[in-house]
Amino acid sequence: MIYEKKTGPDVADGYDHDAHRAAFLGFLEFLRLNLAGQTSIRVDPNWASQHVLLQGIAQFAVPDVILREEELAKELPQLAELVGKPEAPVFVPAETAEQDWLEAIYTTEIERAARLAYARDYQVLGFKDWA
C-alpha cells in the first residue's frame, strides 16, 4: 500500500486549528509523563529529550562540539573550515509545512506544556521560547 505524505491535518474532516491545538497539548502532556518514566510506553528516540540523547552518545564517544540551531549559520562554516572544507555551502534553514501548523496553534499554553515536558533541555541546553 502506498501512502501519500500530507502537508497537515485534513481540515475537510473538521480537524481545525482548535482541534490541532488540543491534540498537541494532549501529546505534550503524554510526553511529560512518558519522559518522566510515568507511563508504560517506552521513550521513543523520536521524542526523547536532546539532553538524554547526548548522554547516550557520550557513553560511546564524547562529542567534540555541540551546535545550537540559532548559531548554525555562523558555526557551520567555522566547523567546515576546521575539517578542511572551507567551500561548504551556506546554511539555509528549511521551512516545512508543519511549521505553518505550529505557528497557527502556538500559544503561551503550548510553550508552558513544552517546557514542562522538556524541562531539562530548556535548562541544560538553553532552549528559548519558540516564538
PDB file of all heavy atoms in Angstrom, residues 7-41:
ATOM      1  N   THR A   7       0.495  17.392   3.968  1.00  0.00           N
ATOM      2  CA  THR A   7       1.186  18.580   4.455  1.00  0.00           C
ATOM      3  C   THR A   7       0.609  19.057   5.779  1.00  0.00           C
ATOM      4  O   THR A   7       1.128  19.983   6.372  1.00  0.00           O
ATOM      5  CB  THR A   7       1.094  19.724   3.426  1.00  0.00           C
ATOM      6  OG1 THR A   7      -0.277  20.009   3.182  1.00  0.00           O
ATOM      7  CG2 THR A   7       1.803  19.350   2.135  1.00  0.00           C
ATOM      8  N   GLY A   8      -0.431  18.446   6.246  1.00  0.00           N
ATOM      9  CA  GLY A   8      -1.021  18.825   7.515  1.00  0.00           C
ATOM     10  C   GLY A   8      -2.314  18.058   7.716  1.00  0.00           C
ATOM     11  O   GLY A   8      -2.737  17.291   6.851  1.00  0.00           O
ATOM     12  N   PRO A   9      -2.941  18.233   8.857  1.00  0.00           N
ATOM     13  CA  PRO A   9      -4.190  17.535   9.104  1.00  0.00           C
ATOM     14  C   PRO A   9      -5.259  17.884   8.077  1.00  0.00           C
ATOM     15  O   PRO A   9      -5.240  18.959   7.480  1.00  0.00           O
ATOM     16  CB  PRO A   9      -4.589  18.038  10.497  1.00  0.00           C
ATOM     17  CG  PRO A   9      -3.309  18.472  11.112  1.00  0.00           C
ATOM     18  CD  PRO A   9      -2.488  19.014   9.981  1.00  0.00           C
ATOM     19  N   ASP A  10      -6.183  16.986   7.888  1.00  0.00           N
ATOM     20  CA  ASP A  10      -7.241  17.159   6.897  1.00  0.00           C
ATOM     21  C   ASP A  10      -8.368  18.007   7.492  1.00  0.00           C
ATOM     22  O   ASP A  10      -9.197  17.525   8.251  1.00  0.00           O
ATOM     23  CB  ASP A  10      -7.777  15.799   6.464  1.00  0.00           C
ATOM     24  CG  ASP A  10      -8.725  15.898   5.284  1.00  0.00           C
ATOM     25  OD1 ASP A  10      -9.051  17.026   4.866  1.00  0.00           O
ATOM     26  OD2 ASP A  10      -9.129  14.844   4.781  1.00  0.00           O
ATOM     27  N   VAL A  11      -8.363  19.285   7.158  1.00  0.00           N
ATOM     28  CA  VAL A  11      -9.366  20.197   7.716  1.00  0.00           C
ATOM     29  C   VAL A  11     -10.757  19.926   7.143  1.00  0.00           C
ATOM     30  O   VAL A  11     -11.745  20.349   7.716  1.00  0.00           O
ATOM     31  CB  VAL A  11      -8.971  21.680   7.511  1.00  0.00           C
ATOM     32  CG1 VAL A  11      -7.746  22.016   8.317  1.00  0.00           C
ATOM     33  CG2 VAL A  11      -8.780  22.009   6.060  1.00  0.00           C
ATOM     34  N   ALA A  12     -10.841  19.202   6.041  1.00  0.00           N
ATOM     35  CA  ALA A  12     -12.143  18.890   5.459  1.00  0.00           C
ATOM     36  C   ALA A  12     -12.958  18.001   6.390  1.00  0.00           C
ATOM     37  O   ALA A  12     -14.176  18.000   6.348  1.00  0.00           O
ATOM     38  CB  ALA A  12     -11.967  18.211   4.102  1.00  0.00           C
ATOM     39  N   ASP A  13     -12.275  17.263   7.249  1.00  0.00           N
ATOM     40  CA  ASP A  13     -12.968  16.380   8.188  1.00  0.00           C
ATOM     41  C   ASP A  13     -13.264  17.068   9.520  1.00  0.00           C
ATOM     42  O   ASP A  13     -13.533  16.410  10.517  1.00  0.00           O
ATOM     43  CB  ASP A  13     -12.131  15.123   8.443  1.00  0.00           C
ATOM     44  CG  ASP A  13     -12.066  14.232   7.215  1.00  0.00           C
ATOM     45  OD1 ASP A  13     -12.975  14.305   6.375  1.00  0.00           O
ATOM     46  OD2 ASP A  13     -11.094  13.462   7.108  1.00  0.00           O
ATOM     47  N   GLY A  14     -13.184  18.390   9.573  1.00  0.00           N
ATOM     48  CA  GLY A  14     -13.493  19.127  10.788  1.00  0.00           C
ATOM     49  C   GLY A  14     -12.329  19.256  11.748  1.00  0.00           C
ATOM     50  O   GLY A  14     -12.492  19.718  12.871  1.00  0.00           O
ATOM     51  N   TYR A  15     -11.156  18.845  11.339  1.00  0.00           N
ATOM     52  CA  TYR A  15      -9.977  18.961  12.185  1.00  0.00           C
ATOM     53  C   TYR A  15      -9.354  20.325  11.928  1.00  0.00           C
ATOM     54  O   TYR A  15      -8.604  20.522  10.990  1.00  0.00           O
ATOM     55  CB  TYR A  15      -8.984  17.836  11.864  1.00  0.00           C
ATOM     56  CG  TYR A  15      -7.831  17.748  12.838  1.00  0.00           C
ATOM     57  CD1 TYR A  15      -7.960  17.042  14.022  1.00  0.00           C
ATOM     58  CD2 TYR A  15      -6.627  18.373  12.574  1.00  0.00           C
ATOM     59  CE1 TYR A  15      -6.911  16.951  14.921  1.00  0.00           C
ATOM     60  CE2 TYR A  15      -5.566  18.297  13.459  1.00  0.00           C
ATOM     61  CZ  TYR A  15      -5.717  17.579  14.636  1.00  0.00           C
ATOM     62  OH  TYR A  15      -4.674  17.503  15.524  1.00  0.00           O
ATOM     63  N   ASP A  16      -9.714  21.272  12.762  1.00  0.00           N
ATOM     64  CA  ASP A  16      -9.251  22.643  12.572  1.00  0.00           C
ATOM     65  C   ASP A  16      -8.111  22.971  13.536  1.00  0.00           C
ATOM     66  O   ASP A  16      -7.609  22.096  14.237  1.00  0.00           O
ATOM     67  CB  ASP A  16     -10.408  23.620  12.735  1.00  0.00           C
ATOM     68  CG  ASP A  16     -11.072  23.537  14.106  1.00  0.00           C
ATOM     69  OD1 ASP A  16     -10.551  22.838  15.006  1.00  0.00           O
ATOM     70  OD2 ASP A  16     -12.113  24.183  14.292  1.00  0.00           O
ATOM     71  N   HIS A  17      -7.718  24.234  13.571  1.00  0.00           N
ATOM     72  CA  HIS A  17      -6.617  24.640  14.439  1.00  0.00           C
ATOM     73  C   HIS A  17      -6.932  24.421  15.915  1.00  0.00           C
ATOM     74  O   HIS A  17      -6.035  24.059  16.688  1.00  0.00           O
ATOM     75  CB  HIS A  17      -6.241  26.100  14.186  1.00  0.00           C
ATOM     76  CG  HIS A  17      -5.644  26.331  12.835  1.00  0.00           C
ATOM     77  ND1 HIS A  17      -4.563  25.634  12.365  1.00  0.00           N
ATOM     78  CD2 HIS A  17      -5.984  27.179  11.847  1.00  0.00           C
ATOM     79  CE1 HIS A  17      -4.261  26.038  11.155  1.00  0.00           C
ATOM     80  NE2 HIS A  17      -5.109  26.984  10.809  1.00  0.00           N
ATOM     81  N   ASP A  18      -8.173  24.624  16.317  1.00  0.00           N
ATOM     82  CA  ASP A  18      -8.537  24.392  17.718  1.00  0.00           C
ATOM     83  C   ASP A  18      -8.379  22.920  18.084  1.00  0.00           C
ATOM     84  O   ASP A  18      -7.858  22.589  19.153  1.00  0.00           O
ATOM     85  CB  ASP A  18      -9.973  24.850  17.992  1.00  0.00           C
ATOM     86  CG  ASP A  18     -10.118  26.359  17.939  1.00  0.00           C
ATOM     87  OD1 ASP A  18      -9.119  27.077  18.160  1.00  0.00           O
ATOM     88  OD2 ASP A  18     -11.239  26.828  17.672  1.00  0.00           O
ATOM     89  N   ALA A  19      -8.814  22.035  17.196  1.00  0.00           N
ATOM     90  CA  ALA A  19      -8.672  20.592  17.443  1.00  0.00           C
ATOM     91  C   ALA A  19      -7.191  20.212  17.449  1.00  0.00           C
ATOM     92  O   ALA A  19      -6.753  19.393  18.269  1.00  0.00           O
ATOM     93  CB  ALA A  19      -9.431  19.800  16.386  1.00  0.00           C
ATOM     94  N   HIS A  20      -6.426  20.797  16.559  1.00  0.00           N
ATOM     95  CA  HIS A  20      -4.990  20.501  16.482  1.00  0.00           C
ATOM     96  C   HIS A  20      -4.281  20.982  17.743  1.00  0.00           C
ATOM     97  O   HIS A  20      -3.417  20.289  18.285  1.00  0.00           O
ATOM     98  CB  HIS A  20      -4.400  21.150  15.232  1.00  0.00           C
ATOM     99  CG  HIS A  20      -3.016  20.677  14.900  1.00  0.00           C
ATOM    100  ND1 HIS A  20      -2.693  19.353  14.729  1.00  0.00           N
ATOM    101  CD2 HIS A  20      -1.866  21.367  14.715  1.00  0.00           C
ATOM    102  CE1 HIS A  20      -1.400  19.246  14.443  1.00  0.00           C
ATOM    103  NE2 HIS A  20      -0.877  20.461  14.433  1.00  0.00           N
ATOM    104  N   ARG A  21      -4.631  22.176  18.225  1.00  0.00           N
ATOM    105  CA  ARG A  21      -4.039  22.714  19.454  1.00  0.00           C
ATOM    106  C   ARG A  21      -4.345  21.793  20.633  1.00  0.00           C
ATOM    107  O   ARG A  21      -3.455  21.452  21.419  1.00  0.00           O
ATOM    108  CB  ARG A  21      -4.570  24.117  19.738  1.00  0.00           C
ATOM    109  CG  ARG A  21      -3.942  24.784  20.961  1.00  0.00           C
ATOM    110  CD  ARG A  21      -4.465  26.207  21.185  1.00  0.00           C
ATOM    111  NE  ARG A  21      -4.165  27.061  20.055  1.00  0.00           N
ATOM    112  CZ  ARG A  21      -5.086  27.495  19.161  1.00  0.00           C
ATOM    113  NH1 ARG A  21      -6.361  27.162  19.298  1.00  0.00           N
ATOM    114  NH2 ARG A  21      -4.733  28.266  18.163  1.00  0.00           N
ATOM    115  N   ALA A  22      -5.592  21.355  20.745  1.00  0.00           N
ATOM    116  CA  ALA A  22      -5.982  20.461  21.841  1.00  0.00           C
ATOM    117  C   ALA A  22      -5.231  19.129  21.753  1.00  0.00           C
ATOM    118  O   ALA A  22      -4.764  18.595  22.767  1.00  0.00           O
ATOM    119  CB  ALA A  22      -7.490  20.234  21.818  1.00  0.00           C
ATOM    120  N   ALA A  23      -5.112  18.589  20.548  1.00  0.00           N
ATOM    121  CA  ALA A  23      -4.395  17.327  20.362  1.00  0.00           C
ATOM    122  C   ALA A  23      -2.913  17.484  20.715  1.00  0.00           C
ATOM    123  O   ALA A  23      -2.322  16.621  21.366  1.00  0.00           O
ATOM    124  CB  ALA A  23      -4.555  16.839  18.923  1.00  0.00           C
ATOM    125  N   PHE A  24      -2.313  18.593  20.301  1.00  0.00           N
ATOM    126  CA  PHE A  24      -0.898  18.821  20.579  1.00  0.00           C
ATOM    127  C   PHE A  24      -0.668  18.999  22.076  1.00  0.00           C
ATOM    128  O   PHE A  24       0.308  18.474  22.630  1.00  0.00           O
ATOM    129  CB  PHE A  24      -0.392  20.012  19.778  1.00  0.00           C
ATOM    130  CG  PHE A  24       1.103  20.167  19.812  1.00  0.00           C
ATOM    131  CD1 PHE A  24       1.949  19.109  19.525  1.00  0.00           C
ATOM    132  CD2 PHE A  24       1.675  21.389  20.107  1.00  0.00           C
ATOM    133  CE1 PHE A  24       3.335  19.255  19.557  1.00  0.00           C
ATOM    134  CE2 PHE A  24       3.055  21.554  20.134  1.00  0.00           C
ATOM    135  CZ  PHE A  24       3.886  20.485  19.856  1.00  0.00           C
ATOM    136  N   LEU A  25      -1.554  19.721  22.744  1.00  0.00           N
ATOM    137  CA  LEU A  25      -1.437  19.867  24.201  1.00  0.00           C
ATOM    138  C   LEU A  25      -1.554  18.513  24.884  1.00  0.00           C
ATOM    139  O   LEU A  25      -0.817  18.224  25.833  1.00  0.00           O
ATOM    140  CB  LEU A  25      -2.496  20.837  24.734  1.00  0.00           C
ATOM    141  CG  LEU A  25      -2.185  22.310  24.533  1.00  0.00           C
ATOM    142  CD1 LEU A  25      -3.418  23.173  24.819  1.00  0.00           C
ATOM    143  CD2 LEU A  25      -1.015  22.739  25.410  1.00  0.00           C
ATOM    144  N   GLY A  26      -2.464  17.674  24.404  1.00  0.00           N
ATOM    145  CA  GLY A  26      -2.591  16.324  24.952  1.00  0.00           C
ATOM    146  C   GLY A  26      -1.321  15.517  24.738  1.00  0.00           C
ATOM    147  O   GLY A  26      -0.869  14.783  25.632  1.00  0.00           O
ATOM    148  N   PHE A  27      -0.726  15.630  23.557  1.00  0.00           N
ATOM    149  CA  PHE A  27       0.513  14.914  23.268  1.00  0.00           C
ATOM    150  C   PHE A  27       1.646  15.427  24.155  1.00  0.00           C
ATOM    151  O   PHE A  27       2.438  14.629  24.678  1.00  0.00           O
ATOM    152  CB  PHE A  27       0.877  15.052  21.790  1.00  0.00           C
ATOM    153  CG  PHE A  27       2.127  14.308  21.408  1.00  0.00           C
ATOM    154  CD1 PHE A  27       2.189  12.924  21.489  1.00  0.00           C
ATOM    155  CD2 PHE A  27       3.243  14.997  20.976  1.00  0.00           C
ATOM    156  CE1 PHE A  27       3.349  12.228  21.147  1.00  0.00           C
ATOM    157  CE2 PHE A  27       4.403  14.315  20.629  1.00  0.00           C
ATOM    158  CZ  PHE A  27       4.451  12.929  20.715  1.00  0.00           C
ATOM    159  N   LEU A  28       1.740  16.735  24.355  1.00  0.00           N
ATOM    160  CA  LEU A  28       2.785  17.285  25.224  1.00  0.00           C
ATOM    161  C   LEU A  28       2.616  16.794  26.665  1.00  0.00           C
ATOM    162  O   LEU A  28       3.608  16.529  27.355  1.00  0.00           O
ATOM    163  CB  LEU A  28       2.785  18.813  25.167  1.00  0.00           C
ATOM    164  CG  LEU A  28       3.347  19.417  23.883  1.00  0.00           C
ATOM    165  CD1 LEU A  28       3.073  20.917  23.827  1.00  0.00           C
ATOM    166  CD2 LEU A  28       4.836  19.124  23.737  1.00  0.00           C
ATOM    167  N   GLU A  29       1.384  16.646  27.116  1.00  0.00           N
ATOM    168  CA  GLU A  29       1.148  16.102  28.462  1.00  0.00           C
ATOM    169  C   GLU A  29       1.592  14.646  28.525  1.00  0.00           C
ATOM    170  O   GLU A  29       2.222  14.213  29.488  1.00  0.00           O
ATOM    171  CB  GLU A  29      -0.330  16.237  28.853  1.00  0.00           C
ATOM    172  CG  GLU A  29      -0.695  15.581  30.165  1.00  0.00           C
ATOM    173  CD  GLU A  29       0.030  16.134  31.390  1.00  0.00           C
ATOM    174  OE1 GLU A  29       0.664  17.211  31.313  1.00  0.00           O
ATOM    175  OE2 GLU A  29      -0.043  15.485  32.454  1.00  0.00           O
ATOM    176  N   PHE A  30       1.267  13.866  27.480  1.00  0.00           N
ATOM    177  CA  PHE A  30       1.744  12.490  27.408  1.00  0.00           C
ATOM    178  C   PHE A  30       3.276  12.467  27.439  1.00  0.00           C
ATOM    179  O   PHE A  30       3.880  11.668  28.154  1.00  0.00           O
ATOM    180  CB  PHE A  30       1.233  11.791  26.143  1.00  0.00           C
ATOM    181  CG  PHE A  30       2.035  10.575  25.780  1.00  0.00           C
ATOM    182  CD1 PHE A  30       1.871   9.387  26.478  1.00  0.00           C
ATOM    183  CD2 PHE A  30       2.988  10.627  24.774  1.00  0.00           C
ATOM    184  CE1 PHE A  30       2.633   8.274  26.179  1.00  0.00           C
ATOM    185  CE2 PHE A  30       3.755   9.524  24.460  1.00  0.00           C
ATOM    186  CZ  PHE A  30       3.580   8.342  25.157  1.00  0.00           C
ATOM    187  N   LEU A  31       3.919  13.342  26.661  1.00  0.00           N
ATOM    188  CA  LEU A  31       5.385  13.386  26.639  1.00  0.00           C
ATOM    189  C   LEU A  31       5.952  13.694  28.014  1.00  0.00           C
ATOM    190  O   LEU A  31       6.949  13.090  28.432  1.00  0.00           O
ATOM    191  CB  LEU A  31       5.877  14.431  25.634  1.00  0.00           C
ATOM    192  CG  LEU A  31       5.770  14.077  24.168  1.00  0.00           C
ATOM    193  CD1 LEU A  31       6.254  15.239  23.306  1.00  0.00           C
ATOM    194  CD2 LEU A  31       6.540  12.820  23.838  1.00  0.00           C
ATOM    195  N   ARG A  32       5.343  14.636  28.707  1.00  0.00           N
ATOM    196  CA  ARG A  32       5.822  14.984  30.052  1.00  0.00           C
ATOM    197  C   ARG A  32       5.838  13.747  30.940  1.00  0.00           C
ATOM    198  O   ARG A  32       6.830  13.449  31.611  1.00  0.00           O
ATOM    199  CB  ARG A  32       4.944  16.075  30.675  1.00  0.00           C
ATOM    200  CG  ARG A  32       5.426  16.542  32.050  1.00  0.00           C
ATOM    201  CD  ARG A  32       4.469  17.543  32.660  1.00  0.00           C
ATOM    202  NE  ARG A  32       3.204  16.956  33.028  1.00  0.00           N
ATOM    203  CZ  ARG A  32       2.989  16.197  34.114  1.00  0.00           C
ATOM    204  NH1 ARG A  32       3.990  15.920  34.931  1.00  0.00           N
ATOM    205  NH2 ARG A  32       1.798  15.709  34.379  1.00  0.00           N
ATOM    206  N   LEU A  33       4.753  12.999  30.915  1.00  0.00           N
ATOM    207  CA  LEU A  33       4.650  11.786  31.726  1.00  0.00           C
ATOM    208  C   LEU A  33       5.590  10.698  31.217  1.00  0.00           C
ATOM    209  O   LEU A  33       6.273  10.030  31.992  1.00  0.00           O
ATOM    210  CB  LEU A  33       3.210  11.287  31.738  1.00  0.00           C
ATOM    211  CG  LEU A  33       2.191  12.231  32.389  1.00  0.00           C
ATOM    212  CD1 LEU A  33       0.770  11.750  32.146  1.00  0.00           C
ATOM    213  CD2 LEU A  33       2.473  12.378  33.869  1.00  0.00           C
ATOM    214  N   ASN A  34       5.639  10.507  29.905  1.00  0.00           N
ATOM    215  CA  ASN A  34       6.470   9.467  29.308  1.00  0.00           C
ATOM    216  C   ASN A  34       7.952   9.720  29.580  1.00  0.00           C
ATOM    217  O   ASN A  34       8.681   8.808  29.982  1.00  0.00           O
ATOM    218  CB  ASN A  34       6.187   9.396  27.803  1.00  0.00           C
ATOM    219  CG  ASN A  34       6.983   8.322  27.111  1.00  0.00           C
ATOM    220  OD1 ASN A  34       7.936   8.635  26.407  1.00  0.00           O
ATOM    221  ND2 ASN A  34       6.599   7.066  27.287  1.00  0.00           N
ATOM    222  N   LEU A  35       8.401  10.949  29.371  1.00  0.00           N
ATOM    223  CA  LEU A  35       9.812  11.269  29.577  1.00  0.00           C
ATOM    224  C   LEU A  35      10.204  11.198  31.050  1.00  0.00           C
ATOM    225  O   LEU A  35      11.374  11.018  31.375  1.00  0.00           O
ATOM    226  CB  LEU A  35      10.140  12.650  28.997  1.00  0.00           C
ATOM    227  CG  LEU A  35       9.967  12.775  27.482  1.00  0.00           C
ATOM    228  CD1 LEU A  35      10.159  14.220  27.039  1.00  0.00           C
ATOM    229  CD2 LEU A  35      10.908  11.843  26.737  1.00  0.00           C
ATOM    230  N   ALA A  36       9.225  11.316  31.938  1.00  0.00           N
ATOM    231  CA  ALA A  36       9.481  11.205  33.371  1.00  0.00           C
ATOM    232  C   ALA A  36       9.357   9.762  33.853  1.00  0.00           C
ATOM    233  O   ALA A  36       9.439   9.490  35.052  1.00  0.00           O
ATOM    234  CB  ALA A  36       8.511  12.104  34.143  1.00  0.00           C
ATOM    235  N   GLY A  37       9.140   8.823  32.918  1.00  0.00           N
ATOM    236  CA  GLY A  37       9.027   7.415  33.284  1.00  0.00           C
ATOM    237  C   GLY A  37       7.728   7.058  33.958  1.00  0.00           C
ATOM    238  O   GLY A  37       7.652   6.072  34.691  1.00  0.00           O
ATOM    239  N   GLN A  38       6.674   7.840  33.725  1.00  0.00           N
ATOM    240  CA  GLN A  38       5.396   7.620  34.386  1.00  0.00           C
ATOM    241  C   GLN A  38       4.348   6.986  33.485  1.00  0.00           C
ATOM    242  O   GLN A  38       3.157   7.061  33.781  1.00  0.00           O
ATOM    243  CB  GLN A  38       4.886   8.939  34.960  1.00  0.00           C
ATOM    244  CG  GLN A  38       5.820   9.505  36.022  1.00  0.00           C
ATOM    245  CD  GLN A  38       5.325  10.837  36.557  1.00  0.00           C
ATOM    246  OE1 GLN A  38       4.267  11.331  36.211  1.00  0.00           O
ATOM    247  NE2 GLN A  38       6.114  11.437  37.434  1.00  0.00           N
ATOM    248  N   THR A  39       4.784   6.385  32.378  1.00  0.00           N
ATOM    249  CA  THR A  39       3.862   5.626  31.526  1.00  0.00           C
ATOM    250  C   THR A  39       4.481   4.259  31.282  1.00  0.00           C
ATOM    251  O   THR A  39       5.674   4.045  31.534  1.00  0.00           O
ATOM    252  CB  THR A  39       3.626   6.310  30.156  1.00  0.00           C
ATOM    253  OG1 THR A  39       4.826   6.247  29.386  1.00  0.00           O
ATOM    254  CG2 THR A  39       3.171   7.750  30.310  1.00  0.00           C
ATOM    255  N   SER A  40       3.692   3.338  30.783  1.00  0.00           N
ATOM    256  CA  SER A  40       4.219   2.004  30.492  1.00  0.00           C
ATOM    257  C   SER A  40       4.786   1.920  29.075  1.00  0.00           C
ATOM    258  O   SER A  40       5.250   0.870  28.652  1.00  0.00           O
ATOM    259  CB  SER A  40       3.111   0.957  30.669  1.00  0.00           C
ATOM    260  OG  SER A  40       2.036   1.245  29.789  1.00  0.00           O
ATOM    261  N   ILE A  41       4.757   3.027  28.361  1.00  0.00           N
ATOM    262  CA  ILE A  41       5.250   3.068  26.985  1.00  0.00           C
ATOM    263  C   ILE A  41       6.705   3.517  27.001  1.00  0.00           C
ATOM    264  O   ILE A  41       7.064   4.482  27.683  1.00  0.00           O
ATOM    265  CB  ILE A  41       4.388   4.037  26.142  1.00  0.00           C
ATOM    266  CG1 ILE A  41       2.947   3.527  26.112  1.00  0.00           C
ATOM    267  CG2 ILE A  41       4.947   4.186  24.737  1.00  0.00           C
ATOM    268  CD1 ILE A  41       1.965   4.493  25.506  1.00  0.00           C
TER     269      ILE A  41
END
